[in-house]
Amino acid sequence: MRRLALVLGAGLLAGCAVGPDFTRPEATTPDAFRMAESGGDVASIANTPWWELLKDQELQKLIRTALEENKDLKRAAAAVEEFQARIFVARTDFAPQMNVTANAPLFGRKTNFLFPGFPNPFNYYLQGNLSWEIDIWGRIRRSNEAARGDLLAREENRRAIVLQLVSGVAEAYFDLLQFDMQLDIARRTLKSWEESVRIAQARLRQGMISKLDADQFEAERANAAAKAAEFERQKVQKENQLSVLLGRNPGRIARGHSLTDQVMPPDVPPGLPSELLQRRPDILQAEQDLAAATARIGMAKADRFPKLSITGILGVASPHLSRLVANETAFGVAGPGLAGPLLNAQILGFQQEAAEAQARQAVAQYEQAVLVAFKEVEDSLVAVRTVREQRTAQLQQVDALRSALSLANLRYKGGLANYLDVLIAQRNLFEAELALMGTHRLHLVSIIQLYKALGGGWSPEGQTPVELSRPVSDIRNETR
C-alpha cells in the first residue's frame, strides 16, 4: 500500500508543468481592408483553388510539375518527415528507458562476485538497466510541446513553399508571355523601320531628303533591333528560371493562351482581415515557432529543479558460462533516485533567461509577420485597382496613336506633311504598345500577388495527388 501511495503521489505531482502556457499574441486587425472594393461579407478569392483561378491548361501543367518536382518543396517535405520522427523520439521520454549489457571474458583469471549481488569484469553476465524519469515538473511534457511546435512550423513552411510555387510559376509564365508579345511587336516594328530605311536611302540618293532625315530613320531601326535582342534574351532567361522552378534542366517552355487572352476574374474580394491570421502559412509558422519557444522556457525552468527517477538493475552473472542458469547467479536492485543541480545552478538560470529571450524574439517575429501580411494585401489591392485603370487608359492611348500614325501616313503621301511626323507617330506607337503589354502582365501578376498575399493557392483536397506529406490538420490532431 505504501508503494501504491508513492506511485499515486508521484502521478499527482506529475500534473504540474512549470513555465508559461502558450497563448497566441493579440493582433489588432481592422474591420475591413482599406483598399477593398467589395464588402467583407463576400467570400475571399483565396478560397478559390488555383486551378479554377488560372484557366490556362499549359500553366496548370507547369504548376503540377513544379509541385511534384521542385527541389525546395522536396527539401521542405523531408524536413517535415524529420520533425515527425523527432516528435516520436520526444514521446519516448515518457516511457521507461531500458538497455541490456552482456559480458563474455576470454582472457584473465575468473573469480566470483567481488561485491554481493553485482558482477565484475571477470564474470560472464547479462544485465538489464532500467531508468524511468518521473515528470514532476513537466520537463518532458514541455519537450513534447516544443517538438510539436517545431513540427507544425515545418509543415506551415512547406505550405508556404507550395503557395510560393503556385504564384511563382504563374508570375514567371506571365512574364514569359509578355516577352513573347513584346518581341513580336519589336520584330514587326523592326521590319517596318527596315522598309522605311530602304525608302529613305533611295530618296537620299535622289536628293529628296537630307542626310539628317536618313540618319533618324536608321536610328529608329537600330532602336527596334536592340529592343528585339533584349526581349529575346529576357525570354530565354525567363524560360531558364521557370525550368528551375519545375525541377528540370533549362529548356523551352510550352505556352497556352497569349498574354491578352488570359482569363482572370473581374472581381477579387479579399474577405475579412481576421481570416488572414488563420490562412497565411508564414503567420501560422511564426505562431508555431512561438509555441515551441514558449515550451522551451518550461524545459529550462524544469531543469533547475531536482529530477526524480526510478532506476533498476536486473541480471545474471557467473564466473563460468555454464552456471548462468543457476538460481544463485541472479542479481538485481531497484529504487528511486533524486538528482538536482548544484554547481551548475547559475548556468541553468542563464539558460532559462536565454529561452525567455528567444520567446520574446518569436513574439516580435509573429507581430512582424502579421504587419507584413496586411501590408502585402493592401499593396496588392491598390495594385489591382489602379493597374486596371492604367490598362484602360493605355488601350485608349494605343488606339489614338494608331489613328495618328494612319493620318500621318496619309498626310505624308498627300504632300501635306514631312516624314518626320510619320517617324514620331511610329516611335510613339511602338513605345505605347510595349508599355501596354507590360501593363497587361502587371494586371495578371497583381491578381496573383493578391491571391498569394491572402494565403490562397492551398487546398488539401485538391493538392492530394501531388502532396509530399499530409495536411497540417492531420498532424495537429495526431500530435495533441
Side-chain angles (χ1 to χ4, degrees):
M1 294 297 294
R2 287 195 301 269
R3 293 178 180 176
L4 180 59
L6 179 62
V7 173
L8 291 176
L12 291 174
L13 287 172
C16 173
V18 298
D21 293 325
F22 169 71
T23 55
R24 181 187 301 163
E26 293 291 335
T28 303
T29 60
D31 296 332
F33 290 107
R34 184 166 62 100
M35 301 305 298
E37 296 181 346
S38 57
D41 55 340
V42 181
S44 172
I45 189 180
N47 296 329
T48 304
W50 60 261
W51 55 90
E52 293 182 8
L53 178 68
L54 306 171
K55 303 292 187 178
D56 192 313
Q57 294 295 323
E58 290 298 330
L59 176 56
Q60 291 185 8
K61 292 178 184 179
L62 294 176
I63 293 176
R64 291 190 176 96
T65 300
L67 293 175
E68 292 174 356
E69 302 296 335
N70 181 265
K71 308 310 177 187
D72 289 334
L73 183 55
K74 288 187 175 182
R75 182 178 60 183
V80 172
E81 295 173 356
E82 173 193 349
F83 281 85
Q84 283 175 336
R86 289 183 183 275
I87 198 171
F88 290 124
V89 171
R91 286 178 179 176
T92 60
D93 290 339
F94 285 114
Q97 308 297 315
M98 187 171 184
N99 58 69
V100 178
T101 304
N103 188 60
L106 298 177
F107 304 101
R109 185 171 66 87
K110 300 176 182 178
T111 64
N112 293 325
F113 294 143
L114 294 179
F115 300 99
F118 290 93
N120 65 61
F122 301 103
N123 294 139
Y124 291 96
Y125 66 85
L126 183 64
Q127 172 182 315
N129 299 301
L130 173 69
S131 176
W132 187 12
E133 180 181 345
I134 307 300
D135 193 25
I136 299 177
W137 313 112
R139 184 191 67 83
I140 298 177
R141 276 167 289 163
R142 295 302 191 192
S143 174
N144 277 260
E145 290 176 12
R148 179 176 177 272
D150 288 337
L151 170 61
L152 294 178
R154 294 311 183 281
E155 175 60 21
E156 295 298 344
N157 178 66
R158 186 183 73 88
R159 290 185 56 214
I161 292 179
V162 170
L163 191 154
Q164 291 170 1
L165 270 181
V166 172
S167 59
V169 171
E171 290 182 23
Y173 182 76
F174 293 146
D175 289 346
L176 192 57
L177 297 183
Q178 174 196 351
F179 295 143
D180 285 341
M181 297 201 72
Q182 288 180 328
L183 178 61
D184 181 67
I185 293 170
R187 286 174 173 172
R188 186 176 68 248
T189 305
L190 174 60
K191 184 177 180 181
S192 175
W193 280 119
E194 287 175 345
E195 178 65 17
S196 298
V197 168
R198 186 186 64 80
I199 295 174
Q201 292 294 339
R203 293 187 173 184
L204 176 63
R205 289 191 295 269
Q206 296 172 3
M208 299 176 62
I209 62 173
S210 66
K211 182 67 166 56
L212 177 60
D213 293 338
D215 288 343
Q216 288 178 331
F217 288 123
E218 178 61 32
E220 294 299 331
R221 184 208 65 81
N223 178 57
K227 289 289 186 180
E230 178 184 356
F231 296 138
E232 178 72 24
R233 180 185 72 252
Q234 291 176 333
K235 183 187 75 169
V236 175
Q237 290 176 345
K238 188 59 65 174
E239 286 182 324
N240 296 340
Q241 176 188 341
L242 195 47
S243 296
V244 173
L245 292 177
L246 301 180
R248 65 192 190 194
N249 290 326
R252 188 184 181 281
I253 300 298
R255 274 78 150 174
H257 299 300
S258 66
L259 184 70
T260 53
D261 292 334
Q262 295 295 320
V263 179
M264 281 292 182
D267 188 25
V268 284
L272 295 174
S274 58
E275 297 175 350
L276 196 64
L277 303 182
Q278 296 300 316
R279 186 183 286 119
R280 290 258 309 207
D282 56 340
I283 295 179
L284 296 175
Q285 180 182 355
E287 179 182 329
Q288 294 302 326
D289 285 336
L290 175 57
T294 303
R296 290 190 177 96
I297 296 176
M299 291 173 57
K301 191 171 184 178
D303 284 337
R304 303 180 66 182
F305 293 90
K307 295 180 182 179
L308 176 63
S309 59
I310 298 175
T311 59
I313 299 175
L314 179 66
V316 292
S318 173
H320 304 287
L321 182 62
S322 59
R323 297 180 183 176
L324 279 177
V325 295
N327 291 335
E328 62 272 13
T329 62
F331 64 91
V333 63
L338 191 66
L342 185 60
L343 296 179
N344 63 336
Q346 187 176 16
I347 296 176
L348 295 176
F350 288 135
Q351 289 179 347
Q352 180 180 339
E353 291 180 8
E356 292 170 348
Q358 289 177 338
R360 291 194 296 272
Q361 295 175 45
V363 170
Q365 180 63 34
Y366 175 83
E367 294 172 345
Q368 179 70 8
V370 172
L371 293 177
V372 170
F374 280 105
K375 178 259 184 188
E376 290 179 352
V377 171
E378 294 290 357
D379 285 350
S380 300
L381 284 171
V382 70
V384 170
R385 190 183 70 181
T386 56
V387 169
R388 188 187 301 125
E389 297 172 356
Q390 179 182 352
R391 186 182 63 173
T392 300
Q394 287 184 329
L395 281 170
Q396 296 172 353
Q397 180 189 27
V398 169
D399 290 341
L401 289 174
R402 284 174 180 165
S403 177
L405 177 60
S406 177
L407 291 174
N409 278 316
L410 290 176
R411 288 172 59 83
Y412 175 74
K413 291 177 182 178
L416 299 176
N418 58 39
Y419 207 74
L420 181 60
D421 295 335
V422 178
L423 183 148
I424 294 175
Q426 191 166 355
R427 178 200 303 161
N428 292 339
L429 177 61
F430 176 51
E431 297 297 335
E433 287 181 328
L434 293 181
L436 178 60
M437 290 304 104
T439 305
H440 268 297
R441 172 259 176 197
L442 184 58
H443 180 231
L444 297 173
V445 169
S446 296
I447 295 177
I448 296 300
Q449 289 177 345
L450 175 61
Y451 187 62
K452 174 185 175 183
L454 292 170
W458 172 262
S459 173
E461 293 79 14
Q463 294 290 336
T464 299
V466 295
E467 273 191 332
L468 301 179
S469 63
R470 295 166 294 170
V472 66
S473 57
D474 293 350
I475 299 177
R476 288 181 188 273
N477 295 331
E478 288 185 7
T479 55
R480 289 190 184 280

